[in-house]
Amino acid sequence: GTNQDFADADNAANAVCDFTSRNNYWRHPNVRAQPYMTFRDDAMVTSDVVSDASPVAYICSSSVAGKPMISPEFNFPWPNQYRAECLPIMAAYACLQDWDGLLYFAYSADGAPLASFSNQSDPVRWGQVPAAAVIFHRGLVSPARNTIHVGCSSVDQISARPRRGSDHYSPYRVLPFISKVRNVYFDEVYEGDADVVISSGHSAHGDYTGARRAIVFADSPYTDGLATERDRAASCRILSPTFSFQEVAEDILGMDVAPAPQDAPETADMIAAGPSGVFFAQRPKKLLPWLGYITEQYLAVPHASSLSAGHPSWLHQLYLAAAYKWDLPGQYDPSEAGRVFRSDTGELVLDRESGLFTINTPSARAAVGMMADAGPTVLGDVTIECANPFASIMLVALDGQPIAQSRRLLLTAVARAENTGEACSPGRTAIIERGVAPVLTEPVDCRVTIRTDAALRASSLTPTGARADALPVTTVGGARVIDVTAAHSPWVLLEG
């Protein structure tokens, strides 16, 4: 197959292979730009997740139900100063998604200065490999509790709808941060067994009546491969043949399909659009812009994607509301939609407003992002305090025990790094001087508090893993406090 597909026709063809794969990079620099290499110096933790697709979204968009999924190339390249996000985020969501392989691009024995894709001389990337490998290989982050299929009918597969990871209606922008997501390709009738299936939106073709639960919409109104037959509500009408969806002139929200509340199934709640987004209502007398309906099995919203301009988080809002209606794991406040992305396991949180990503599992804790602004981050029996504007802190148990019972832990703390003499353009959009070795590393001003009975000893580690300097461990209120500021190493080994 291929490791770089751009439409469902590509990926449907890959689905016959032994496994599927996808390369992706966060803010891939323009290495051929003249006279200087250009780049975007953005942090993923503060990006607009619902409109700016991430490697998590793109890799998910190439997955197929029942097939192993591998990313043979991924990286958050230099000179992006936030590249320490890469491994904690990728290892954690790879576990949530139950992916089978991550190939970190790339190791190279040539050259000591930092380079875009060579990781081995970069303490903020290579320094996190041990902890990330432990998280991924030992499954310290749980797989998702729900499986979501993205349904692609025979018409969906051949529609000209590229950029599946970042189109305004794409399920991959949001759902991979919540639950396990896989594509399912079928001709006419979906026959999968996912907890929830959502139509791809590429057409209005496809029968989802056999689904356990289905979210059905159609960004494209066509029902045939030549895009000549138009009926945006076709798939929704199959779910409830007696319910009326009528095509009308586009209203103020851009919708061209109007459902009739009086014809809704007896057990249905209507779905309406208001100033703050979408919500469920039980047929109030006041006329509202109706989107569709939800029952105990189906959420039918034929043209909900028309809300994208005014309410870009519409899909996140709908899914969170549906999870509550269907009593699914991952029932969170719909008002967080577009701002906070929580896994259905409760272990992963990406809060783009505060610029913070956290891992909170029995044997792994991490806080990544704008640490100084975030203040003390409490993750169960671990509290992380860091004065750096941006940093990545990971704590993993090496003996398989919960953090509080572990007697051997690896604490990894990194921030930013650059070459000696490295110089960027104003606004950090181009590299004017690449710089030379040695690599300069920002010290991490950080304290980690662990509520444990273990009498922990702390040692910084050399690049070969040997113990270097002993670090002080203080006891405050029965908890152990480790100050990594003087470590002069990405790694601190805790033993007790």
Side-chain angles (χ1 to χ4, degrees), residues 284-308:
K285 294 181 180 179
K286 182 180 178 181
L287 184 62
L288 293 170
W290 298 108
L291 298 174
Y293 70 87
I294 185 170
T295 67
E296 296 300 324
Q297 188 176 9
Y298 304 130
L299 193 161
V301 282
H303 203 188
S305 60
S306 66
L307 300 177
S308 295

Side-chain angles (χ1 to χ4, degrees), residues 189-190 206-212 214 235 237-241 297-298:
V189 181
Y190 168 80
D207 182 342
Y208 292 92
T209 53
R212 295 169 64 184
S235 291
R237 197 174 289 111
I238 293 172
L239 300 179
S240 297
Q297 188 176 9
Y298 304 130

Side-chain angles (χ1 to χ4, degrees), residues 155-490:
V155 175
D156 293 335
Q157 294 168 41
I158 59 173
S159 64
R161 312 289 287 192
R163 297 179 64 234
R164 289 170 299 137
S166 57
D167 270 333
H168 66 89
Y169 64 91
S170 171
Y172 307 105
R173 293 177 305 161
V174 170
L175 300 182
F177 295 96
I178 302 173
S179 296
K180 175 181 174 180
V181 177
R182 295 291 189 273
N183 287 300
V184 170
Y185 299 101
F186 62 92
D187 291 331
E188 302 289 332
V189 181
Y190 168 80
E191 297 178 339
D193 60 353
D195 298 285
V196 179
V197 59
I198 181 169
S199 56
S200 70
H202 299 336
S203 78
H205 178 264
D207 182 342
Y208 292 92
T209 53
R212 295 169 64 184
R213 303 172 191 87
I215 299 173
V216 179
F217 75 100
D219 189 71
S220 168
Y222 298 104
T223 59
D224 66 313
L226 298 177
T228 58
E229 299 177 10
R230 179 188 177 99
D231 181 3
R232 192 185 299 276
S235 291
C236 293
R237 197 174 289 111
I238 293 172
L239 300 179
S240 297
T242 61
F243 188 58
S244 299
F245 286 102
Q246 298 179 344
E247 293 202 4
V248 296
E250 287 190 4
D251 66 7
I252 190 172
L253 297 176
M255 291 186 292
D256 57 15
V257 172
Q262 66 273 12
D263 296 332
E266 287 295 324
T267 60
D269 289 335
M270 295 303 295
I271 301 171
S276 60
V278 298
F279 61 93
F280 295 170
Q282 294 183 332
R283 305 177 182 84
K285 294 181 180 179
K286 182 180 178 181
L287 184 62
L288 293 170
W290 298 108
L291 298 174
Y293 70 87
I294 185 170
T295 67
E296 296 300 324
Q297 188 176 9
Y298 304 130
L299 193 161
V301 282
H303 203 188
S305 60
S306 66
L307 300 177
S308 295
H311 302 297
S313 302
W314 64 271
L315 178 57
H316 198 186
Q317 290 179 325
L318 279 177
Y319 185 83
L320 292 177
Y324 179 81
K325 173 81 172 181
W326 294 335
D327 196 23
L328 294 173
Q331 298 179 28
Y332 302 113
D333 186 352
S335 68
E336 291 186 339
R339 301 183 294 109
V340 183
F341 301 81
R342 303 179 188 271
S343 67
D344 64 26
T345 61
E347 295 180 343
L348 307 179
V349 179
L350 175 59
D351 185 339
R352 58 173 296 263
E353 275 200 335
S354 63
L356 190 67
F357 167 71
T358 57
I359 300 172
N360 188 358
T361 80
S363 299
R365 311 289 162 82
V368 182
M370 309 309 166
M371 297 297 296
D373 290 341
T377 301
V378 179
L379 302 170
D381 44 31
V382 174
T383 300
I384 300 172
E385 299 174 86
C386 183
N388 295 65
F390 170 84
S392 173
I393 316 297
M394 289 193 284
L395 179 68
V396 297
L398 299 177
D399 54 10
Q401 297 298 310
I403 294 290
Q405 284 78 53
S406 178
R407 297 300 183 266
R408 187 174 172 83
L409 302 108
L410 177 64
L411 174 58
T412 304
V414 298
R416 297 174 292 188
E418 62 184 36
N419 291 321
T420 297
E422 178 180 316
C424 295
S425 64
R428 290 188 61 86
T429 59
I431 282 288
I432 309 302
E433 295 287 348
R434 290 177 175 263
V436 297
V439 174
L440 307 177
T441 305
E442 179 183 8
V444 182
D445 183 357
C446 176
R447 279 146 298 286
V448 177
T449 301
I450 307 172
R451 292 192 293 277
T452 177
D453 295 330
L456 296 174
R457 305 181 308 277
S459 304
S460 61
L461 300 179
T462 71
T464 63
R467 292 171 183 79
D469 299 327
L471 299 175
V473 178
T474 58
T475 301
V476 178
R480 315 301 179 188
V481 181
I482 302 96
D483 190 332
V484 305
T485 308
H488 303 295
S489 169

Side-chain angles (χ1 to χ4, degrees), residues 41-83:
D41 196 36
D42 300 331
M44 182 180 153
V45 292
T46 58
S47 66
D48 187 357
V49 173
V50 300
S51 62
D52 192 1
S54 67
V56 175
Y58 274 115
I59 295 170
C60 264
S61 77
S62 295
S63 63
V64 174
K67 296 284 182 167
M69 181 70 216
I70 293 174
S71 178
E73 286 187 28
F74 74 96
N75 204 325
F76 286 36
W78 174 86
N80 187 304
Q81 65 178 319
Y82 306 110
R83 59 191 181 277

